[in-house]
Amino acid sequence: MSATSARLLTVLSLLGARARWSGEELSERLGVSTRTLRRDVGSLRALGYPVSTLKGPDGGYRLGSGGELPPLLLDDEQALAVAVALQTTPTSVSGIDDAVARALTSIRQVMPARLRAEVDAMHLTTIPNSWEFPAPPIPPDTLRAVGHAVRNRHLLRFDHRTPDGRRPDPGDPDFTPPVRAEPHHLVVWAGRWYLVAYVVPEEAWRIYRVDRIHAHAPTGAGFRPRRLPGSDVARYVMTTCDRGDTPARWQCTGSVVMDLPADVVARWAPGGSVVEYVDATRTRITLGAWSWAGIAGLLATFDADFADVRPAGLRDACRSLSRRYDRAGR
């Protein structure tokens, strides 16, 4: 395949992956000049692909309706990535097992025999709701509603369920009015899906657990993207302690107050932990493990002092581990 043909396929792939691209963004992504990009867009139009030019200061390119991608072309690494992604998705999204199986079958049909063998070799067994993925699976309708709002930059109106999955009535003490927010990013971390959104009435950024979102009808109201509190959305989620998390189900669950700032503890806390701000230098962390000794061992990895250890079983495990470490250090 010539370099030009390969680049045209890349342009098509990029245009299909996002609603709009600026000419500068596409040129930088492809490593070509804007003049070469314009020539490539003209070639695609000549082949029948409806690539629209968007006018104005924020203009660029968009693939119009009816623009279908050519037959699937995957290298070995891409084939492996697709197989793994499709087979692990049901652990965090519910009710799509049959769709995953059909998607894998469709992809196999357009692959050469060698790549089909690569995909078949990567056969995974996923365990929904396992403690390795400590969050309830997300209904596909919820994921579509939230993802559509993020992609199209539309205001999202939703109820946020309680940790036990309830939608409290107005008279319930746990009742909160529906949230109306600007959804900016979806982030998956430690088996949990998070929505990073700006809540206009509060004039504040918030992070919501997507598995607790009950989306209302689409608003269709657009918004302009805002600058995030940090330059890296992944780091922002990982270092924010107020993510709406609750402890994952473990045989043992305990908590301590640690002499570290909340953003540091949140960044390194195991998946399924809960991190709570106490003050500028102290943080309460609640976490679980198969045993009290397991929790005590996890706490040691932070290399910081801690106090207010709860419950008694965790205190006993800390004393036992202390004696064991003392003997090993002699």
Side-chain angles (χ1 to χ4, degrees):
M1 182 183 297
S2 70
T4 301
S5 298
R7 192 171 64 248
L8 290 180
L9 287 174
T10 302
V11 174
L12 270 178
S13 177
L14 292 172
L15 289 173
R18 215 165 80 183
R20 60 190 297 164
W21 289 83
S22 71
E24 184 179 352
E25 286 177 317
L26 272 178
S27 298
E28 290 180 358
R29 188 71 174 264
L30 297 165
V32 299
S33 66
T34 54
R35 181 179 179 181
T36 299
L37 175 62
R38 286 195 298 271
R39 188 165 58 246
D40 287 346
V41 168
S43 298
L44 289 174
R45 288 170 177 158
L47 292 171
Y49 292 100
V51 181
S52 303
T53 301
L54 306 175
K55 304 296 184 181
D58 297 326
Y61 298 101
R62 178 174 61 198
L63 185 62
S65 59
E68 296 181 357
L69 294 181
L72 189 65
L73 299 173
L74 297 177
D75 59 28
D76 294 27
E77 291 183 350
Q78 290 172 320
L80 182 63
V82 169
V84 171
L86 283 173
Q87 294 181 75
T88 56
T89 296
T91 63
S92 58
V93 181
S94 64
I96 62 170
D97 300 71
D98 180 61
V100 166
R102 287 186 284 112
L104 278 171
T105 299
S106 298
I107 289 174
R108 286 183 75 260
Q109 290 174 349
V110 296
M111 287 180 176
R114 180 179 58 80
L115 285 186
R116 282 202 301 270
E118 291 280 348
V119 171
D120 291 344
M122 187 51 61
H123 180 72
L124 305 177
T125 299
T126 57
I127 306 174
N129 292 328
S130 74
W131 290 348
E132 295 296 325
F133 299 90
I138 302 168
D141 288 347
T142 298
L143 199 55
R144 279 195 293 268
V146 176
H148 182 275
V150 171
R151 176 182 173 85
N152 293 286
R153 296 174 180 167
H154 286 171
L155 288 172
L156 183 66
R157 190 168 180 268
F158 60 93
D159 296 320
H160 204 232
R161 305 175 193 266
T162 60
D164 59 3
R166 293 184 302 110
R167 293 174 60 196
D169 295 323
D172 193 303
D174 294 326
F175 175 78
T176 55
V179 179
R180 186 177 173 89
E182 300 172 354
H184 282 260
H185 292 276
L186 277 172
V187 177
V188 183
W189 182 46
R192 298 182 174 190
W193 291 68
Y194 298 93
L195 171 66
V196 179
Y198 185 84
V199 182
V200 180
E202 300 178 13
E203 297 185 345
W205 287 94
R206 294 283 184 260
I207 299 175
Y208 296 94
R209 284 272 297 275
V210 178
D211 57 284
R212 294 189 192 145
I213 284 178
H214 175 80
H216 292 202
T219 65
F223 66 88
R224 284 187 173 275
R226 299 175 185 266
R227 185 182 298 275
L228 282 168
S231 58
D232 184 343
V233 66
R235 180 175 177 81
Y236 174 66
V237 170
M238 289 189 292
T239 57
T240 299
C241 60
D242 186 11
R243 297 186 291 254
D245 283 332
T246 51
R249 294 183 300 119
W250 289 100
Q251 185 169 314
C252 301
T253 303
S255 71
V256 303
V257 173
M258 190 168 287
D259 291 347
L260 283 175
D263 62 332
V264 175
V265 177
R267 173 66 179 86
W268 302 108
S273 303
V274 174
V275 178
E276 301 171 79
Y277 177 90
V278 176
D279 57 37
T281 60
R282 296 184 304 154
T283 305
R284 176 170 290 281
I285 178 172
T286 302
L287 68 168
W290 293 102
S291 65
W292 296 118
I295 299 177
L298 288 171
L299 293 171
T301 64
F302 286 89
D303 193 22
D305 291 336
F306 54 85
D308 194 11
V309 181
R310 309 174 189 172
L314 181 54
R315 293 194 293 273
D316 292 340
C318 288
R319 284 191 288 267
S320 175
L321 199 61
S322 174
R323 291 192 294 269
R324 185 173 295 127
Y325 284 172
D326 182 60
R327 290 193 298 271
R330 291 178 185 175

